[in-house]
């Protein structure tokens, strides 16, 4: 059989009458036909002159006569009738019914033969069309079709190779099953439901439309709803159809109706939820029987939901779940906690749960002891929910937990959390550590947590968690220590110096070179936050070989060994900050100077200035260069001057010192970036000047501080100014003066400008620059005492203030 278009499929119906004609065993008697409708009568009635008509047709005729204001007349004779009484023709009706039954039996027999034998496609289509026709016309015929075992034959046609036959079979089955539960069961027998569902994914739209229509009829039977849902992929296909924006609207509406019918079965509701259709589950959770509500809540906790779905769920049932958690029995609370655990992991959902009052019962369950305490598995779920909620960045200082107005950051609450962390299993420990991580993410609340940690002496135990065998606990403890280290860095440094193996463990973690993990980034950030001027801690890092490891990891990142990792930036920032610790003690620790020389740290920090987008890296690198440059003049090697010869006193021409070339203009000695960290080498000056245009004022401040070492006492300031001038840095420094917003940056800029203005040519050129004068006057008026003094000297250089000392000298 061949595949044809939908037009060919519908054209079969035009041959239906000829099919009827061929299948009759008896002709139509004229007495059977209504003169008005020209159709075989079903309810014949006789009027007063003896003529017989279809009841409905003659009643309509008489009504038209009355409507036109005429007496009733006979449609055949057109003569007036004295009465419009209708007398049933029972004998004729019985005769017609017998005739119809004989003919329909003959047609059904022919249809049976057409479907079951190797008939032509056209004969099969006409047979199927006839079956659909008679079932649609008279409901009683559906029983005849059932009794003739035609339903099973039609379902076999669903596997035909002809698309037209398959489509006509789907239509016929829908007519057969409509309003007939017995036929529905036969249609659904065996593997037929699976076959019908397969059509839902067919490419041909008509097959999808007819199959979804048949499936809708079958879904009206509660007995079949579970079987439909049991077919693998059925509900997913229907959910996809019901939410489609490109599918035929009829298909979309029917798919939606099927899903509504399938909701009668809880198993189907669960499947719908799995496939993104959550509303039926939420409806049962809100309005179903108690057992069903708890079952749906527990199942909700097992689903993996997208964030936007979590938000929808919490808006719909969040309040109910919190109430169940507060007032339900242990089974109900367990179900509610599982659901809340799932939906609380999205920040927007967590904030709604906070508004619904989830915090007080969570804390109550966690801290409860004795007969009122929850089983440990539920304490773990409660801790997980609390960790999720705390990660939402709400204002936890403003959320009371009890009548005493205690909050999550109150000292007693934090003490209880710390006690639980030290006295429960790893799973709860991890979640409660994550709670503290969330609470210390804000500087305001972090201070309160730090205060509580100090007051109960929990620092050592928190540091010990960094060596936990469970990775989650290690990550959480390192993240917590990283958060609190800016507020208790010295305490943590002291603990790490005396704790057995903890510091070595952190360094070992940083050294692992299989990518960059979250715990590595947290570990190096923790070390970077500890007081950089603590020489004892720096020496311990040195003894543990930390700086060699840090240098190796920095080199690896710069060489591109690790790319696209989300932790690269914080890891590199921490590495650079730890490495820069050495520059604080160069004057006192010769081994640090040797290390900086051997590894050319000045060049490394200069290269790091170009890490655009990594503000902390650039800032710390500039600060390190400043400290290295301050040591330059102490490390500069000067050429040896030979002793005067014996003839120098006799012949003065022999007493002139030899001319030495290639000396540094600033230090007047033999300089290099590697040996004495001189900024004139390696284009460090140009790269620092480029940083003066940075959007981050901290970076600008650090870069300017490094450049100011060229103007320090102890170096040739005039030559330093010339170096800045040749590198086009004077204008950039003046711009910093004009735009500086912070007190520190203004002071630094005023200091640098005053040194620059000591060069007469530059001061003469800038004496007419109103913007520079105004900036200096502003610093003179509003700066601190030291800044005012420096600004005053600068203003004298540009003749904006008189130099009274010169006047007094001239008078004397």
């Amino acid at each position: 059989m061949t595949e044809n278009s939908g037009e060919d499929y519908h054209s079969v119906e035009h041959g239906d009458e000829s099919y009827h004609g061929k299948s009759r065993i008896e002709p139509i008697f004229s007495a059977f036909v209504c003169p008005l409708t020209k159709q075989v009568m079903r309810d014949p009635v006789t009027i007063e002159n003896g003529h017989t008509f279809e009841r409905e047709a003659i009643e309509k005729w008489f009504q038209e006569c009355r409507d036109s204001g005429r007496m009733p007349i006979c449609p055949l004779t057109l003569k007036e009738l004295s009465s419009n009484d209708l007398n049933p023709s029972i004998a004729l009706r019985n005769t017609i019914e017998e005739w119809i039954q004989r003919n329909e039996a003959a047609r059904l027999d022919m249809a049976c033969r057409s479907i079951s034998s190797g008939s032509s496609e056209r004969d099969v289509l006409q047979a199927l069309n006839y079956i659909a026709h008679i079932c649609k016309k008279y409901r009683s015929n559906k029983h005849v079709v059932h009794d003739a075992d035609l339903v099973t034959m039609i379902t076999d046609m669903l596997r035909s190779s002809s698309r037209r036959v398959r489509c006509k079979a789907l239509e016929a089955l829908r007519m057969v099953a409509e309003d007939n539960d017995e036929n529905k069961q036969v249609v659904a027998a065996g593997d037929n439901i699976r076959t019908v569902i397969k059509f839902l994914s067919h490419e041909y739209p008509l097959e999808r439309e007819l199959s979804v229509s048949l499936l809708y009829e079958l879904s009206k039977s509660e007995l079949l709803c579970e079987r439909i849902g049991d077919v693998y992929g059925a509900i997913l296909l229907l959910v996809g159809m019901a939410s489609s924006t490109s599918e035929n609207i009829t298909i979309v509406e029917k798919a939606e109706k099927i899903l509504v019918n399938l909701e009668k079965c809880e198993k189907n509701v669960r499947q719908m939820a799995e496939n993104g259709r959550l509303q039926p589950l939420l409806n049962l959770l809100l309005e179903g029987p108690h057992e069903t509500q708890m079952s749906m809540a527990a199942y909700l906790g097992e689903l993996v939901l997208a964030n936007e779905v979590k938000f929808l769920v919490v808006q719909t049932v969040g309040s109910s779940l919190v109430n169940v958690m507060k007032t339900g029995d242990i089974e109900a609370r367990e179900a509610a906690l599982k659901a809340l655990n799932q939906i609380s992991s999205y920040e927007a959902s967590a904030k709604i749960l906070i508004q619904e009052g989830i915090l007080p019962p969570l804390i109550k369950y966690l801290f409860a002891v004795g007969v009122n305490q929850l089983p440990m598995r539920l304490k773990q779920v409660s801790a997980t929910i609390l960790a999720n909620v705390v990660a939402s960045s709400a204002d936890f200082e403003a959320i009371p937990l009890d009548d005493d107005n205690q909050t999550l950051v109150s000292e007693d609450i934090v003490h209880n959390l710390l006690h639980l962390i030290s006295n429960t299993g790893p799973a709860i420990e991890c979640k409660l550590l994550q709670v503290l991580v969330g609470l210390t993410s804000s500087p305001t609340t972090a201070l309160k947590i730090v205060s509580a940690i100090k007051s109960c002496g929990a620092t050592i135990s928190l540091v010990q968690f960094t060596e936990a065998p469970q990775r989650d606990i290690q990550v959480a403890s390192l993240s917590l220590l990283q958060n609190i280290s800016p507020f208790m860095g010295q305490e943590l440094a002291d603990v790490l110096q005396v704790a057995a193996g903890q510091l070595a463990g952190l360094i070992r973690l940083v050294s692992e070179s299989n990518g960059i993990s979250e715990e590595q980034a947290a570990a190096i950030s923790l070390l970077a936050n500890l007081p950089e001027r603590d020489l004892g801690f720096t020496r311990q890092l040195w003894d543990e070989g930390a700086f060699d490891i840090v240098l190796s990891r920095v080199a690896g990142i710069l060489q591109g060994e690790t790319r696209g990792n989300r932790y690269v930036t914080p890891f590199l920032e921490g590495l650079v900050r730890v490495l820069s610790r050495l520059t604080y003690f160069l004057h006192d620790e010769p081994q640090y100077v040797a290390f900086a020389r051997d590894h050319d740290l000045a060049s490394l920090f200069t290269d790091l200035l170009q890490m655009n987008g990594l503000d902390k890296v650039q800032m710390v690198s500039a600060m390190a260069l400043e400290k290295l440059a301050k040591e330059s003049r102490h490390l500069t090697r000067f050429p040896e001057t030979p002793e005067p010869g014996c003839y120098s006193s006799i012949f003065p021409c022999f007493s002139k010192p030899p001319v030495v070339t290639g000396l540094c203009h600033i230090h007047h000695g033999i300089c290099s970036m590697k040996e004495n960290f001189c900024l004139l080498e390696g284009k460090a000056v140009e790269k620092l000047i480029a940083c003066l245009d940075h959007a981050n004022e901290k970076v600008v401040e650090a870069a300017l501080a490094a450049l100011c070492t060229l103007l320090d006492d102890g170096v040739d300031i005039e030559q330093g100014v010339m170096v800045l001038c040749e590198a086009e840095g004077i204008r950039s420094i003046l711009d910093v003066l004009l735009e500086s917003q912070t007190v520190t940056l203004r002071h630094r800029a005023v200091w640098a400008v005053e040194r620059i203005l000591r060069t007469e040519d530059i001061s003469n050129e800038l004496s007419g620059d109103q913007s520079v004068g105004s900036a200096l006057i502003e610093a003179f008026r509003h700066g601190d005492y030291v800044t005012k003094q420096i600004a005053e000297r600068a203003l004298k250089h540009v003749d904006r203030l008189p130099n009274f000392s010169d006047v007094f000298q001239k008078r004397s």
Side-chain angles (χ1 to χ4, degrees):
M1 293 185 182
T2 59
E3 300 288 328
N4 291 299
S5 67
E7 184 179 348
D8 293 333
Y9 159 75
H10 290 296
S11 68
V12 181
E13 297 179 10
H14 298 317
D16 189 47
E17 289 303 319
S18 61
Y19 179 80
H20 290 185
K22 288 190 297 180
S23 62
R24 292 186 186 123
I25 59 173
E26 297 178 15
I28 298 178
F29 297 98
S30 59
F32 292 175
V33 178
C34 172
L36 288 173
T37 64
K38 310 302 182 188
Q39 299 292 324
V40 174
M41 292 181 285
R42 289 283 181 175
D43 187 10
V45 292
T46 305
I47 61 177
E48 69 174 29
N49 64 4
H51 291 291
T52 303
F53 302 90
E54 180 69 54
R55 179 186 291 277
E56 184 178 350
I58 192 61
E59 285 178 344
K60 182 179 178 183
W61 175 269
F62 286 163
Q63 184 62 44
E64 289 174 353
C65 290
R66 286 193 294 271
D67 291 343
S68 62
R70 296 183 289 115
M71 289 292 291
I73 62 173
C74 174
L76 295 178
T77 64
L78 300 178
K79 293 182 179 179
E80 287 188 4
L81 301 172
S82 58
S83 169
N84 55 5
D85 293 341
L86 303 176
N87 297 312
S89 299
I90 296 174
L92 179 59
R93 183 173 65 189
N94 291 338
T95 302
I96 291 173
E97 286 178 354
E98 291 172 1
W99 176 86
I100 288 174
Q101 289 172 2
R102 289 194 299 272
N103 278 284
E104 287 185 347
R107 294 189 191 111
L108 283 174
D109 182 60
M110 183 175 179
C112 238
R113 291 196 303 272
S114 296
I115 293 174
S116 59
S117 65
S119 303
S120 68
E121 180 186 82
R122 186 170 185 80
D123 286 345
V124 173
L125 290 171
Q126 287 183 337
L128 291 171
N129 196 54
Y130 171 70
I131 294 169
H133 170 75
I134 62 170
C135 288
K136 182 178 181 180
K137 195 168 185 180
Y138 300 111
R139 182 180 297 182
S140 59
N141 287 334
K142 296 178 182 181
H143 297 288
V144 176
V145 169
H146 175 270
D147 294 341
D149 202 24
L150 275 171
V151 180
T152 303
M153 296 181 186
I154 299 170
T155 56
D156 290 340
M157 292 295 101
L158 295 176
R159 298 164 182 82
S160 169
S161 60
S162 167
R163 179 182 292 162
R164 294 196 302 167
V165 169
R166 295 196 301 267
C167 287
K168 188 55 71 174
L170 288 167
E171 182 183 10
L173 288 172
R174 180 177 66 83
M175 295 296 183
V176 168
E178 192 172 44
D179 300 323
N180 190 298
D181 289 340
E182 191 176 10
N183 282 353
K184 283 183 174 67
Q185 295 298 323
V186 179
V187 171
D191 204 36
N192 291 337
I193 290 180
R194 184 182 302 275
T195 302
V196 173
I197 288 170
K198 285 181 181 178
F199 287 108
L200 297 178
S201 59
H202 277 208
E203 181 181 354
Y204 187 45
L206 186 58
E207 283 184 304
R208 295 202 301 275
E209 183 176 339
L210 292 170
S211 62
V212 81
S213 296
L214 172 56
L215 204 58
Y216 172 56
E217 286 303 323
L218 298 179
S219 71
K220 292 177 182 178
S221 167
E222 281 195 48
L223 296 174
L224 297 180
C225 283
E226 185 172 349
R227 288 183 57 193
I228 293 172
D230 284 341
V231 176
Y232 181 75
I235 287 179
L236 176 57
L237 284 170
L238 289 166
V239 169
M241 283 182 162
S243 59
S244 174
T245 56
S246 59
E247 190 63 87
N248 181 312
I249 187 63
T250 303
I251 294 177
V252 172
E253 291 174 351
K254 283 286 175 64
E256 177 65 31
K257 291 178 179 178
I258 295 171
L259 289 169
V260 171
N261 289 340
L262 296 184
E263 290 172 14
K264 299 166 188 171
C265 174
E266 285 187 21
K267 187 191 295 186
N268 292 340
V269 170
R270 291 190 177 92
Q271 278 200 66
M272 291 179 199
E274 281 181 15
N275 292 298
R277 188 181 171 94
L278 269 171
Q279 197 58 52
L281 183 145
L282 301 181
N283 291 341
L284 285 178
L285 199 156
L286 287 172
E287 302 168 1
H290 178 73
E291 288 186 5
T292 301
Q293 287 181 327
M294 296 308 99
S295 172
M296 293 298 111
Y299 190 70
L300 182 60
E302 298 172 10
L303 295 175
V304 177
L305 304 176
N307 285 338
E308 60 272 16
V309 178
K310 292 176 185 176
F311 189 65
L312 169 67
V313 171
V314 79
Q315 286 181 310
T316 308
V317 299
S319 176
S320 298
L321 290 172
V322 171
N323 287 334
V324 171
M325 188 183 75
K326 290 177 180 177
T327 61
D329 55 25
I330 188 68
E331 290 80 10
R333 277 186 281 172
E334 180 169 5
L337 284 168
K338 287 180 178 179
L340 289 166
N341 181 32
Q342 173 60 245
I343 62 178
S344 64
S345 57
Y346 179 45
E347 182 175 345
S349 301
K351 288 182 177 178
I352 293 179
L353 291 174
I354 292 172
Q355 294 171 5
E356 298 295 345
I358 194 174
L359 284 176
L362 277 179
I363 294 298
K364 176 184 174 183
Y365 293 160
L366 281 171
F367 294 166
V369 294
V371 294
N372 295 321
Q373 69 178 342
L374 287 178
M376 196 58 67
R377 70 179 187 281
L378 296 189
K379 278 199 173 187
Q380 180 181 337
V381 178
S382 299
T384 304
I385 297 170
L386 183 59
N388 291 341
V389 169
V390 167
S392 67
S393 305
D395 183 8
F396 294 105
E397 288 185 279
I399 304 172
L401 300 177
D402 52 31
D403 294 337
D404 296 330
N405 289 322
Q406 290 202 98
T407 68
L408 274 179
V409 295
S410 295
E411 188 172 70
D412 288 347
I413 299 296
V414 178
H415 283 176
N416 285 333
L417 288 173
L418 291 168
H419 177 76
L420 273 177
I421 289 171
S422 300
N423 294 278
T424 53
I428 296 180
E429 286 173 355
C430 177
K431 295 305 176 183
L432 294 181
L433 283 169
Q434 289 174 4
V435 169
L436 293 179
V437 171
L439 292 175
T440 54
S441 297
S442 162
T444 305
T445 52
L447 284 170
K448 292 183 177 293
I449 303 300
V450 166
S451 175
I453 290 172
K454 289 180 179 180
S455 65
C456 71
T459 308
I460 293 175
S461 61
L462 290 177
V463 170
Q464 289 173 343
F465 279 117
T466 62
E467 291 194 314
Q470 297 85 1
R471 178 180 179 272
D472 289 346
I473 293 179
Q474 189 180 55
V475 171
S477 62
L478 285 168
S479 297
L480 173 59
L481 294 174
Q482 176 191 348
N483 286 355
I484 64 177
S485 57
F487 309 101
M488 54 182 301
Q490 192 59 59
E491 290 85 346
L492 292 173
D494 293 342
V495 169
L496 286 172
Q497 287 183 77
V498 299
Q502 258 86 37
L503 181 59
L506 291 177
I507 295 168
R508 188 167 53 251
L509 176 61
V510 171
S511 70
E512 295 174 1
S513 57
N514 51 341
I516 299 174
S517 63
E518 183 180 1
E519 57 266 39
Q520 285 180 305
I524 197 64
S525 297
L526 165 61
L527 294 176
N529 285 339
L530 301 182
E532 62 270 4
R533 297 186 183 277
D534 185 336
L535 178 56
F537 188 68
T538 301
R539 284 174 174 167
Q540 190 156 355
L541 287 173
W542 175 270
D543 293 340
E544 297 285 353
F547 295 105
D548 289 298
I549 290 169
V550 166
L551 193 62
S552 172
R553 296 310 309 266
V554 171
I557 292 173
L558 294 181
Q559 291 166 10
E561 293 178 4
T562 306
R563 294 180 180 175
N565 187 296
R566 60 185 293 197
Y567 301 111
V568 169
T569 295
F571 189 62
L572 179 59
E573 287 174 353
L575 292 172
V576 174
R577 290 173 64 195
V578 170
L579 188 60
S580 72
R581 292 181 69 98
L582 290 176
T583 65
Y584 285 86
F585 308 106
L586 295 172
H587 193 67
D588 302 314
E589 301 289 329
Q591 68 270 32
Y592 298 170
V593 174
F595 183 89
R597 283 172 166 167
D598 292 343
H599 298 286
D600 198 5
L601 290 191
S603 294
L604 174 61
F605 286 122
T606 299
D607 291 338
L608 290 170
L609 289 174
Q610 296 177 294
M611 300 293 286
N612 295 325
L614 302 182
D615 293 7
K616 284 187 179 179
V617 171
Q618 291 177 296
M619 179 188 71
V620 173
S621 299
M623 292 169 65
L625 284 173
E626 178 200 3
K627 294 176 182 63
L628 288 166
K630 282 183 177 295
E631 293 301 310
S632 293
R633 62 192 180 93
H634 303 298
L635 301 173
T636 300
R637 186 167 56 87
F638 297 99
E640 295 181 4
T641 305
E643 293 292 329
C646 59
Y647 298 104
S648 60
S649 59
I650 304 172
F651 304 102
C653 61
F654 289 106
S655 64
K656 292 182 178 179
V659 177
V660 180
T661 60
L663 298 181
C664 174
H665 298 304
I666 303 292
H667 302 110
H668 300 302
I670 300 171
C671 291
S672 72
M673 179 162 273
K674 182 175 182 180
E675 293 300 323
N676 72 324
F677 323 130
C678 180
L679 294 183
L680 269 61
E681 306 295 329
K683 296 189 179 298
V685 174
E686 290 83 351
K687 293 174 182 176
L688 286 167
I689 290 171
C691 288
L692 296 181
D693 193 37
H694 203 286
N696 188 329
E697 289 193 337
K698 293 290 186 183
V699 177
V700 176
E701 185 180 316
L704 182 57
L707 289 170
C708 283
T709 61
L710 301 176
L711 308 173
D712 262 337
D713 295 332
V715 303
D716 191 327
I717 296 175
E718 186 174 350
Q719 286 298 317
V721 172
M722 295 310 297
V723 168
L724 291 173
C725 191
E726 290 171 3
E728 300 182 354
I730 302 296
R731 186 71 254 175
S732 296
I733 294 174
L734 291 173
D735 288 341
V736 172
L737 172 65
L738 298 175
E739 299 169 6
S740 59
Q741 300 294 321
T742 66
V743 172
T744 304
L745 188 54
R746 180 197 294 171
H747 172 81
R748 184 75 71 177
V750 169
W751 185 92
V753 169
E754 189 277 327
R755 296 271 167 147
I756 291 169
L757 291 176
R758 293 179 186 182
T759 301
E760 189 173 351
D761 290 345
I762 295 177
S763 63
N764 289 338
E765 182 181 344
L766 294 177
S767 61
D769 191 325
Q770 292 296 325
S771 60
V772 173
S774 297
L776 290 171
I777 291 171
E778 192 70 14
F780 177 68
R781 292 178 59 213
H782 301 293
D784 57 26
Y785 177 74
V786 176
T787 303
K788 281 184 177 183
Q789 285 190 318
I790 300 171
E792 180 180 354
R793 294 198 298 270
L795 287 167
K796 289 177 181 179
H797 294 322
V798 292
D799 295 330
R800 299 299 293 269
L801 280 177
N803 194 337
F804 292 110
S805 59
D806 291 345
V807 174
F808 295 142
Q809 289 172 4
K810 289 176 183 178
R811 286 183 178 180
S812 62

